[in-house]
Amino acid sequence: MHPRDEIQWKSWLEADMLVFMFSAPMKSRSLDKISEWLAAVILAGLTGCSTLPTIASDLTIDPAKPIQLEGARGPLSSQQSKAILNRLQSGGKETSIFDRHLAVEDAIVGSPLVVGNKVVLLQDGPATFQAMFTAISNAKDHINMETYIIEDDEVGKRFVDALIKKQAQGVPVNFIYDSVGAINAPKEFFKRLTDSGIKVLEFNPINPLTAKKGWELNQRDHRKLLIVDGQAAFLGGINISSVYSSGSFSPRSKRRPDGSPPWRDTHVQLEGPVVGEFQKLFLATWEKQKGAPLAPSKFFPQLSNKGKEVVRAIGSSPDDPYSLIYATLISAIKSAETSVRLTNAYFVPDPQLLTALKDAAQRGVDVKIILPSNTDFWLVFHAGRSFYTTLLRAGVKIYERRGALLHSKTALIDGVWSTIGSTNLDWRSFLHNEEVNAVILGQEFGGQMQAMFETDLASSNLITLEQWERRSIGLRLKEMTARIWEYWL
């Protein structure tokens, strides 16, 4: 049990109601939805809490053991793997650092390290949506889509129209949405999809009577995943919502009609053999949630090499013994030798992540974190800020992104280990949510990630310890209040 299980159940109920009211952007909350949620929370209050794994300070790594890579036709020979790794390191000054991260990544049990992939970095909504619409338009065999939030707005309707069009052309479409994340969208919105023949699955319905799987209210599908023809995959932090209609980097970027700032987020497009690993994650979720039988499709076509990136697909689920995303991130930070670059929307670190960041800074690693300066979820915002003092005292550099609502979830370590996905740096992502990330190993893609980080850094304000210790009593009280609920945020 988590120590906060000692909090009275009434307080837990109040906390989860706050999470419901503020976790997703909601325009109109109907009484029946809130009633369903309240009943659900009462039942969920009777369940136990999960815990995070302890990650060893140094994984057991055998330097003599060859790194096992996989390609389009399965596992590669030691000679083939060595040739690819040598090519990835060519021209790099810190090849020993690359070797170490590769060995650490290989030591974590899970999905394979896959070579021969093309990875395209997508920044903000306009570029991401355009790439996704192009892929959907060109689909010939099937479309599998999974999202936390989809809204009944301009962007949501465009996606629905595009999916319905492909279904009418004979391309089967399978769609998963989270019941809480998509709570704004009315039933009629999804009825358009089902009436067109699209297979639609509501993940963990708020109403337990409609759940087909064992019901766990606190488990949410936070993934954002699109797979087209089993050949292209899109994933990252971007939901299907008009909040992403404008970019955040352009000088012309401006506040939205409702007065809110543009959203800053990151996605990635992948082609190559690793797409099959992301396909497995989608199909596993569909099966666990007892979705309807899927139309026959070539979910796993023969894939050829599309590029030279080494990628690992990592999915996490509360059903797993522990979060592989958490394990690989902590291990990478503990192995850092020169730099740690984190950009994250919701930052509420557990003790182990907090210690890993502090230890890295204290051993001379340049640790920089970009966090939001404003938010759509005040509890997480202030809970995260309550950790600033201890991090700043340890030498961690903290920046807050201005001029945009930061929603990215990315990391770059030593310039060679990168990850992009849906995972926030908080208890909810590591314990309660279905999440999906891509880990990309290599200096070339790391260079693109570093350039993106520097661009965000130029639009961020440095938080100094002296400045932070002068903050108001009101802010301190908000931090104390929010910190109480960190496990459930």
Side-chain angles (χ1 to χ4, degrees), residues 276-473:
E277 299 301 319
F278 290 105
Q279 186 80 285
K280 291 176 186 177
L281 293 173
F282 177 92
L283 295 175
T285 300
W286 191 275
E287 182 178 357
K288 284 192 299 182
Q289 287 287 306
K290 301 187 183 302
L294 300 177
S297 300
K298 296 178 181 178
F299 290 129
F300 298 99
Q302 181 63 53
L303 297 173
S304 59
N305 290 347
K306 294 294 184 179
K308 57 183 180 181
E309 305 292 354
V310 176
V311 183
R312 164 168 275 165
I314 305 183
S316 66
S317 168
D319 298 329
D320 298 333
Y322 61 91
S323 166
L324 276 174
I325 294 172
Y326 178 81
T328 192
L329 177 64
I330 295 292
S331 299
I333 293 173
K334 288 186 174 185
S335 301
E337 296 183 25
T338 61
S339 62
V340 172
R341 304 284 184 259
L342 303 180
T343 305
N344 209 268
Y346 305 119
F347 178 75
V348 188
D350 69 282
Q352 192 169 198
L353 175 56
L354 189 67
T355 298
L357 292 170
K358 290 163 55 182
D359 287 351
Q362 290 172 344
R363 67 174 181 266
V365 176
D366 185 21
V367 181
K368 293 181 179 178
I369 308 176
I370 300 177
L371 300 172
S373 62
N374 57 82
T375 184
D376 62 333
F377 191 178
W378 72 268
L379 276 173
V380 171
F381 180 68
H382 289 291
R385 280 181 152 196
S386 71
F387 294 95
Y388 280 16
T389 299
T390 185
L391 287 167
L392 291 170
R393 286 176 177 171
V396 174
K397 301 178 184 70
I398 299 175
Y399 301 80
E400 289 189 343
R401 182 63 155 82
R402 64 178 183 271
L405 198 153
L406 183 67
H407 197 254
S408 294
K409 304 102 169 41
T410 66
L412 172 64
I413 298 175
D414 289 343
V416 298
W417 187 99
S418 306
T419 188
I420 298 171
S422 63
T423 308
N424 292 305
L425 301 181
D426 60 10
W427 292 85
R428 171 154 295 281
S429 276
F430 292 138
L431 287 177
H432 309 305
N433 287 346
E434 304 266 337
E435 305 281 7
V436 62
N437 273 51
V439 171
I440 303 101
L441 294 169
Q443 296 169 347
E444 184 175 330
F445 188 77
Q448 296 179 46
M449 292 284 286
Q450 179 64 31
M452 180 176 68
F453 187 87
E454 293 293 338
T455 302
D456 277 315
L457 204 64
S459 297
S460 301
N461 296 325
L462 174 66
I463 306 297
T464 65
L465 180 59
E466 180 183 8
Q467 164 199 353
W468 190 246
E469 289 184 335
R470 293 200 306 265
R471 71 195 185 281
S472 69
I473 293 177

Side-chain angles (χ1 to χ4, degrees), residues 127-301:
T128 300
F129 291 153
Q130 184 56 53
M132 292 171 74
F133 283 129
T134 297
I136 289 171
S137 177
N138 294 332
K140 294 179 174 58
D141 185 75
H142 68 274
I143 297 170
N144 289 338
M145 189 169 182
E146 184 174 1
T147 187
Y148 177 59
I149 292 173
I150 183 168
E151 298 205 276
D152 184 12
D153 58 18
E154 178 188 358
V155 169
K157 287 182 172 70
R158 280 188 66 195
F159 270 93
V160 167
D161 290 343
L163 296 176
I164 289 174
K165 181 177 180 180
K166 295 310 294 187
Q167 181 73 34
Q169 293 174 358
V171 177
V173 178
N174 309 302
F175 185 82
I176 303 173
Y177 72 94
D178 185 81
S179 184
V180 171
I183 198 169
N184 281 338
K187 294 296 183 184
E188 294 75 17
F189 181 77
F190 298 104
K191 189 173 185 298
R192 282 192 62 209
L193 293 170
T194 55
D195 285 351
S196 72
I198 293 174
K199 299 286 178 61
V200 177
L201 177 62
E202 181 182 8
F203 184 95
N204 238 343
I206 291 174
N207 182 353
L209 299 179
T210 64
K212 298 177 182 178
K213 175 188 176 288
W215 184 77
E216 288 286 347
L217 171 75
N218 205 29
Q219 295 183 11
R220 307 308 334 157
D221 187 353
H222 195 243
R223 295 174 180 176
K224 296 91 176 164
L225 182 61
L226 170 66
I227 302 167
V228 177
D229 291 343
Q231 298 183 15
F234 297 79
L235 66 138
I238 295 179
N239 288 292
I240 308 305
S241 169
S242 289
V243 299
Y244 293 105
S245 294
S246 63
S248 63
F249 288 116
S250 170
R252 297 188 301 275
S253 295
K254 57 185 179 180
R255 302 185 79 84
R256 291 167 43 75
D258 62 1
S260 61
W263 283 49
R264 166 74 188 97
D265 215 332
T266 306
H267 232 62
V268 68
Q269 177 180 355
L270 302 109
E271 296 177 47
V274 77
V275 174
E277 299 301 319
F278 290 105
Q279 186 80 285
K280 291 176 186 177
L281 293 173
F282 177 92
L283 295 175
T285 300
W286 191 275
E287 182 178 357
K288 284 192 299 182
Q289 287 287 306
K290 301 187 183 302
L294 300 177
S297 300
K298 296 178 181 178
F299 290 129
F300 298 99

Side-chain angles (χ1 to χ4, degrees), residues 7-227:
I7 297 174
Q8 293 181 351
W9 180 81
K10 180 178 179 292
S11 297
W12 187 94
L13 173 61
E14 292 170 350
D16 219 28
M17 282 300 291
L18 284 171
V19 172
F20 166 63
M21 298 298 286
F22 294 104
S23 61
M26 299 181 190
K27 300 183 182 68
S28 58
R29 303 174 177 85
S30 59
L31 288 176
D32 59 330
K33 283 289 187 182
I34 294 178
S35 298
E36 285 180 7
W37 180 272
L38 181 59
V41 170
I42 292 173
L43 290 174
L46 303 177
T47 64
C49 295
S50 305
T51 58
L52 290 166
T54 299
I55 309 301
S57 296
D58 195 3
L59 293 175
T60 302
I61 298 172
D62 181 1
K65 177 191 172 187
I67 301 297
Q68 180 64 64
L69 301 179
E70 290 197 10
R73 291 175 174 78
L76 304 180
S77 68
S78 297
Q79 186 175 1
Q80 289 172 318
S81 295
K82 184 177 180 180
I84 289 171
L85 297 178
N86 286 339
R87 186 171 68 247
L88 281 171
Q89 297 178 72
S90 63
K93 298 178 181 179
E94 303 292 345
T95 56
S96 63
I97 293 177
F98 178 81
D99 287 341
R100 177 165 178 74
H101 280 288
L102 190 67
V104 168
E105 192 64 30
D106 185 62
I108 296 176
V109 178
S111 55
L113 286 164
V114 183
V115 304
N117 304 287
K118 178 183 178 182
V119 183
V120 178
L121 192 59
L122 298 169
Q123 300 179 50
D124 287 344
T128 300
F129 291 153
Q130 184 56 53
M132 292 171 74
F133 283 129
T134 297
I136 289 171
S137 177
N138 294 332
K140 294 179 174 58
D141 185 75
H142 68 274
I143 297 170
N144 289 338
M145 189 169 182
E146 184 174 1
T147 187
Y148 177 59
I149 292 173
I150 183 168
E151 298 205 276
D152 184 12
D153 58 18
E154 178 188 358
V155 169
K157 287 182 172 70
R158 280 188 66 195
F159 270 93
V160 167
D161 290 343
L163 296 176
I164 289 174
K165 181 177 180 180
K166 295 310 294 187
Q167 181 73 34
Q169 293 174 358
V171 177
V173 178
N174 309 302
F175 185 82
I176 303 173
Y177 72 94
D178 185 81
S179 184
V180 171
I183 198 169
N184 281 338
K187 294 296 183 184
E188 294 75 17
F189 181 77
F190 298 104
K191 189 173 185 298
R192 282 192 62 209
L193 293 170
T194 55
D195 285 351
S196 72
I198 293 174
K199 299 286 178 61
V200 177
L201 177 62
E202 181 182 8
F203 184 95
N204 238 343
I206 291 174
N207 182 353
L209 299 179
T210 64
K212 298 177 182 178
K213 175 188 176 288
W215 184 77
E216 288 286 347
L217 171 75
N218 205 29
Q219 295 183 11
R220 307 308 334 157
D221 187 353
H222 195 243
R223 295 174 180 176
K224 296 91 176 164
L225 182 61
L226 170 66
I227 302 167

